[in-house]
Amino acid sequence: NAPLAFLDKVTDFLPAQAALVVRQWSLGGQLAEFGRGVVSLEGILYFAAIIVVMLYLSMALIGRRHWSRRGGGMMAAHYLLRTLALLIIVFGVVYFSRPVRARTDVSSEKLSQLSDETRKFLSALETDRPVEIEAFISPETDVPEDFVTTRKNLVDVLGEIHALGGEQIRVTIHPTERDTPEATLAENRFRITPREIESQEGGVYSIKSVFMGVTVRSGIERETIPFVNRGTAVEYELLLAIRTVLQEKKPKLGVLKTGAPVFGQFNIRSMQTGRDWPLIAELRKQYDVVEIDASGPIQPDACKALLVVQPSMMQPQEMPHLLEAIRQGMPTAIFEDPLPIFEPSIPGTDIARRPPGGMMGGMQPSAPKANVQALWNLLGISFAPGTIIWQSYNPHPERRDFPQEFVFTEEGSGIDEPFSTDDPITSGMQQLFFAFPGALNKLNASVLEATPLVKTGPRSGTVRIDDYFIRGPRGQIMGQRPHPRRDATGENYIMAMHITGQLKQTEKPADDKDNPEKKKETKKKSPPASINVVVVADVDAITRDMFALREAGNRPGSGQSEFNFDNVPFVLNIIDSLAGVDHYLEVRKRRRHHYPLERIAAENEEAQRERDKLVEDSNKELAKMRKDENEYLSEQQAKLLAKFRKEIPDEREAARRALQVALANWQRQQAQEAQLEKKIRQKQNRIDMDLRQSEERIRNHYKLLAVLLPPILPLVLAVVFLISRRIREREGVARARLR
């Protein structure tokens, strides 16, 4: 097996394409799939072929001592030709099994298995321009612990895409380190640069340069993912890039101009042009995003779907055009927030717009806002403009500073179905986060069907904005009240709703008023309109902060809050569902859960408990020492001041002397605290060191078992076979002597 094992080392001296082919036939290349939990027909046949060939060689070599009777040279050549013929046969069997693509992921979490939509797309892919994927990824030893699972997800998905894409997709993974030819190629040719990442491992801070970029090319078309962050849906990003380079036509998506700074707008106050929201950059990967002006009629064929952010900011003359577009069946996503917290430039539903002005303009009256109630009447829903929803549920107990108006929706929030399982937008979602959201309700008189997409748990209620914040003369937020009044209602509030159905037929008079014959005609009825609208009572869900949280992703073991919301997939799924694009609905929602080794996880948990107890005890000791020292210093300062007043006639001089002594005592106290904190850090470092040594012992233990256990069975079989053969040979010699 040595030649097959050393093929991995040979690839270092070969061109990229040749190295890719050779690596596929090496032991390391074939074992990689089994290491990911993937069992394929090709892999089984590959190792079965090795067994067949090696057993045949063993049988031939065992009988080699008899070749001298028949001509040793001729027999050696004969068996060599036989072996070569057998190699050609098994090579052909393995090679021609590749198009079958029979493979399955036997891991419990299906970490390497692609979604059904991706598998279907790759299986049916036929193009005269093969897709070439080149990934520049740092070796695992150079990747911070926080990025290990991200790297594994990327490598696993690339491996599956290569296996299922066949000849249509070629995948090359370049192990890339700083100041190497691969790094030069990535930076100069593909603009893939390393990301400087601060890492904390074992209590030691370090900065590592990490490559985690992918470029996808087909013909002259190219898409590049400069860096795969934590929290990025790797499968979705790669599938989107492949479809893009194959020049699939992008549908048009309209974004209505409402005054919300979704696009980079010129700010007259700062005299600068702002940047587009990350949402726009994300949508442009998949759609031809155009800005729609509502000052005139909106054409039904202007776009596949319409995105409206804070429609309450619209001008009064613009709202009728939006209403008419919805009546005509324009699929629309509406995000309305009673109080946007993460985007202060957007006024709440019942808060006046900021007046224009700047260095030259002075203060001017603010522009009037449209009557957004007409929109809710059309959709058959109610929206309380001055009310915020709160929920007494926080899945992050380490962040006790979160207000109850930070609403988390998941199964643990006390409701069996926080997300609609019937609607593809939310089925499969795990956690969403809304900041100071509003609530939606369906009007009983409405003929439209309203499907709740996201609901709070029963430990919820409402709070008026006026009870929570102090408002200025124009309704703007000036500050927070110390003890806001929260009304606990115990209801399950709806924060997102999908509204579909047909409006009632409406009668319209004849258009030609000057024609008397037209006047006599009966009034015509317009055809019923099909409504398809999603309303979300929160704008913060699509702001920059949510996308920043997605980029930060999950940081296991970092000691920080581990945020892993589905807000970005939720928003993108809304747009896709309305636009009739179903390629990515399931792909985005999927998460790959990685679990650490149980023994190491138990060691980490025990060390964390010991560290937490140490910190708690140390804080108590520090607090007690400070309290005692402060009481002692106050008492001593009072005594010294009284003493100096008796001894020194000058009051100011007595106070100065007392202050000098107090300062010296305070410095002594600070030195004692610094000494205590140093001891605490030393204890923490000792705990971390013991933990690292324990982890290393566990790893070495399993490595030793991995080396020692596998050869035991073959060695036992070899010994049994040898003893059996010796016994048979002795019996044969004994019988020959009897003759």
Side-chain angles (χ1 to χ4, degrees):
N1 296 337
L4 295 175
F6 281 108
L7 282 180
D8 284 328
K9 298 300 180 184
V10 175
T11 57
D12 296 338
F13 308 98
L14 298 177
Q17 291 299 326
L20 178 63
V21 174
V22 172
R23 193 176 293 116
Q24 293 175 356
W25 291 96
S26 69
L27 274 179
Q30 293 291 335
L31 279 172
E33 287 193 344
F34 286 93
R36 299 199 313 265
V38 177
V39 178
S40 63
L41 177 63
E42 178 189 347
I44 292 174
L45 292 177
Y46 176 88
F47 287 102
I50 292 178
I51 294 172
V52 170
V53 173
M54 295 306 170
L55 284 177
Y56 180 78
L57 280 176
S58 298
M59 293 175 61
L61 293 175
I62 287 174
R64 184 178 57 180
R65 55 183 175 172
H66 302 298
W67 292 355
S68 57
R69 303 175 186 174
R70 308 175 187 176
M74 291 296 295
M75 292 300 297
H78 175 76
Y79 276 101
L80 178 61
L81 289 175
R82 278 190 173 189
T83 304
L84 291 176
L86 183 60
L87 282 172
I88 293 173
I89 292 172
V90 298
F91 175 84
V93 170
V94 175
Y95 181 80
F96 288 107
S97 70
R98 287 185 174 179
V100 179
R101 303 180 190 175
R103 54 199 296 110
T104 182
D105 188 342
V106 297
S107 64
S108 60
E109 290 293 330
K110 306 297 181 184
L111 294 176
S112 298
Q113 182 172 300
L114 302 179
S115 64
D116 293 339
E117 179 63 35
T118 306
R119 294 167 66 89
K120 189 186 304 181
F121 168 75
L122 295 176
S123 300
L125 181 61
E126 292 184 5
T127 176
D128 55 352
R129 298 180 292 112
V131 178
E132 297 184 4
I133 302 177
E134 292 189 72
F136 297 86
I137 306 175
S138 296
E140 189 171 355
T141 54
D142 294 344
V143 174
E145 185 178 351
D146 296 343
F147 275 82
V148 169
T149 55
T150 304
R151 182 187 184 279
K152 177 173 173 53
N153 288 339
L154 179 57
V155 172
D156 289 354
V157 171
L158 287 172
E160 286 301 292
I161 289 177
H162 171 69
L164 294 174
E167 297 298 324
Q168 302 292 333
I169 298 183
R170 303 166 186 166
V171 178
T172 305
I173 298 179
H174 301 282
T176 309
E177 300 180 66
R178 197 71 182 263
D179 301 326
T180 60
E182 290 81 7
T184 303
L185 175 65
E187 296 184 47
N188 296 341
R189 184 174 178 183
F190 303 119
R191 299 294 186 266
I192 295 176
T193 57
R195 184 73 59 89
E196 302 293 331
I197 299 175
E198 182 178 330
S199 174
Q200 179 185 5
E201 298 179 12
V204 178
Y205 284 93
S206 61
I207 296 179
K208 295 185 177 181
S209 298
V210 178
F211 283 90
M212 204 89 75
V214 182
T215 179
V216 182
R217 180 172 65 89
S218 179
I220 61 173
E221 298 296 324
R222 183 184 300 279
E223 282 289 318
T224 299
I225 305 172
F227 192 81
V228 177
N229 280 297
R230 292 185 302 264
T232 300
V234 177
E235 182 181 346
Y236 160 68
E237 294 289 346
L238 290 175
L239 180 60
L240 179 59
I242 293 172
R243 286 183 177 273
T244 301
V245 298
L246 291 176
Q247 291 185 308
E248 292 191 355
K249 187 177 180 180
K250 293 183 178 181
K252 276 191 176 181
L253 172 68
V255 180
L256 196 69
K257 293 176 63 176
T258 62
V262 178
F263 292 97
Q265 299 178 354
F266 181 76
N267 189 331
I268 196 171
R269 295 176 181 274
S270 62
M271 303 300 292
Q272 294 180 348
T273 301
R275 294 181 300 172
D276 294 352
W277 283 9
L279 172 65
I280 299 301
E282 190 72 30
L283 290 173
R284 280 183 174 141
K285 296 178 183 178
Q286 187 178 344
Y287 294 95
D288 179 12
V289 180
V290 295
E291 197 169 13
I292 303 294
D293 192 349
S295 59
I298 301 173
Q299 300 301 323
D301 57 350
C303 52
K304 295 283 289 184
L306 187 65
L307 172 63
V308 184
V309 180
Q310 204 71 357
S312 61
M313 291 183 67
M314 299 174 65
Q315 301 283 340
Q317 67 274 15
E318 296 174 339
M319 181 61 72
H321 298 139
L322 171 61
L323 300 180
E324 184 60 27
I326 294 175
R327 285 193 190 99
Q328 293 179 5
M330 173 75 74
T332 307
I334 299 173
F335 290 82
E336 177 69 29
D337 198 325
L339 187 67
I341 292 295
F342 297 152
E343 192 62 43
S345 62
I346 299 179
T349 304
D350 67 339
I351 299 176
R353 298 180 64 162
R354 288 186 176 183
M359 292 184 296
M360 305 296 295
M363 294 299 295
Q364 301 177 15
S366 59
K369 296 175 68 173
N371 178 21
V372 75
Q373 186 59 41
L375 176 61
W376 310 140
N377 293 340
L378 174 66
L379 299 177
I381 62 175
S382 64
F383 182 95
T387 303
I388 299 169
I389 302 304
W390 61 268
Q391 179 178 250
S392 180
Y393 173 71
N394 181 5
H396 302 280
E398 73 280 0
R399 296 303 304 269
R400 299 178 182 176
D401 56 328
F402 281 171
Q404 295 185 15
E405 287 69 28
F406 278 8
V407 178
F408 300 88
T409 56
E410 61 178 5
E411 290 186 0
S413 60
I415 183 173
D416 293 336
E417 288 191 7
F419 311 110
S420 172
T421 57
D422 298 328
D423 198 301
I425 294 175
T426 52
S427 62
M429 291 285 175
Q430 298 183 45
Q431 187 185 84
L432 290 177
F433 166 58
F434 298 95
F436 290 74
L440 307 169
N441 281 299
K442 180 181 181 297
L443 298 177
N444 294 330
S446 175
V447 298
L448 300 176
E449 181 180 353
T451 302
L453 296 180
V454 185
K455 294 187 291 187
T456 67
R459 293 176 291 175
S460 305
T462 60
V463 56
R464 297 283 302 172
I465 294 179
D466 292 335
D467 292 335
Y468 199 97
F469 294 100
I470 302 171
R471 296 209 197 193
R474 296 177 179 270
Q476 70 273 25
I477 302 301
M478 303 296 293
Q480 181 178 342
R481 298 186 186 278
H483 301 289
R485 175 187 171 186
R486 296 183 174 94
D487 296 326
T489 61
E491 296 183 19
N492 301 118
Y493 289 95
I494 302 171
M495 293 174 293
M497 185 179 288
H498 194 176
I499 303 166
T500 56
Q502 292 183 336
L503 295 172
K504 292 181 179 179
Q505 290 183 335
T506 57
E507 294 184 350
K508 290 185 178 180
D511 295 332
D512 194 350
K513 297 181 179 179
D514 298 329
N515 191 337
E517 294 183 0
K518 291 285 185 181
K519 288 183 179 180
K520 295 179 182 179
E521 292 180 1
T522 58
K523 294 180 179 179
K524 297 180 180 180
K525 292 184 178 181
S526 62
S530 179
I531 300 295
N532 187 12
V533 176
V534 174
V535 182
V536 180
D538 187 47
V539 169
D540 298 305
I542 60 176
T543 55
R544 296 181 177 88
D545 294 312
M546 289 301 170
F547 281 80
L549 285 172
R550 184 186 72 152
E551 289 187 0
N554 214 353
R555 301 192 62 185
S558 64
Q560 301 181 12
S561 299
E562 299 176 6
F563 301 135
N564 204 358
F565 311 132
D566 289 324
N567 286 46
V568 175
F570 171 64
V571 173
L572 297 179
N573 278 3
I574 290 175
I575 303 297
D576 280 5
S577 177
L578 294 172
V581 180
D582 58 356
H583 307 318
Y584 312 108
L585 292 178
E586 297 301 324
V587 178
R588 286 196 197 98
K589 291 182 287 190
R590 185 181 174 194
R591 290 189 193 174
R592 287 174 164 84
H593 294 282
H594 296 266
Y595 297 98
L597 295 175
E598 291 183 357
R599 284 190 60 185
I600 291 181
E603 292 281 343
N604 279 324
E605 187 176 353
E606 179 63 30
Q608 186 62 45
R609 282 198 298 267
E610 187 177 351
R611 192 184 293 110
D612 292 343
K613 188 175 184 305
L614 172 64
V615 172
E616 183 180 357
D617 294 343
S618 302
N619 289 336
K620 289 181 180 179
E621 185 177 352
L622 267 174
K624 185 177 182 304
M625 187 189 75
R626 286 170 180 166
K627 179 182 177 182
D628 295 342
E629 193 69 20
N630 288 336
E631 291 177 355
Y632 173 77
L633 290 178
S634 299
E635 182 181 350
Q636 289 299 314
Q637 188 174 1
K639 290 180 179 179
L640 287 171
L641 184 58
K643 177 183 177 182
F644 289 146
R645 281 175 177 172
K646 291 180 180 179
E647 297 177 354
I648 304 174
D650 189 354
E651 180 74 17
R652 297 177 61 183
E653 179 63 20
R656 187 184 67 80
R657 294 276 301 274
L659 183 61
Q660 287 180 342
V661 176
L663 180 61
N665 289 333
W666 179 82
Q667 291 175 345
R668 179 178 57 81
Q669 179 188 5
Q670 293 298 311
Q672 290 178 350
E673 289 185 9
Q675 190 67 22
L676 180 58
E677 290 175 352
K678 180 180 178 181
K679 291 180 180 178
I680 294 171
R681 286 195 299 270
Q682 289 176 347
K683 291 180 180 179
Q684 289 179 335
N685 292 337
R686 186 161 56 251
I687 292 173
D688 292 337
M689 186 181 300
D690 293 341
L691 176 61
R692 290 197 300 272
Q693 292 176 351
S694 176
E695 290 180 357
E696 192 65 26
R697 284 196 300 270
I698 293 172
R699 290 193 179 97
N700 291 337
H701 172 71
Y702 282 105
K703 288 178 182 178
L704 183 63
L705 293 180
V707 172
L708 296 180
L709 292 182
I712 291 178
L713 181 59
L715 289 175
V716 171
L717 290 175
V719 171
V720 171
F721 179 80
L722 179 62
I723 294 174
S724 175
R725 186 170 183 83
R726 288 297 184 186
I727 291 174
R728 289 198 302 271
E729 287 180 352
R730 289 179 180 177
E731 289 178 352
V733 171
R735 291 175 183 173
R737 288 176 179 173
L738 289 175
R739 296 193 193 102

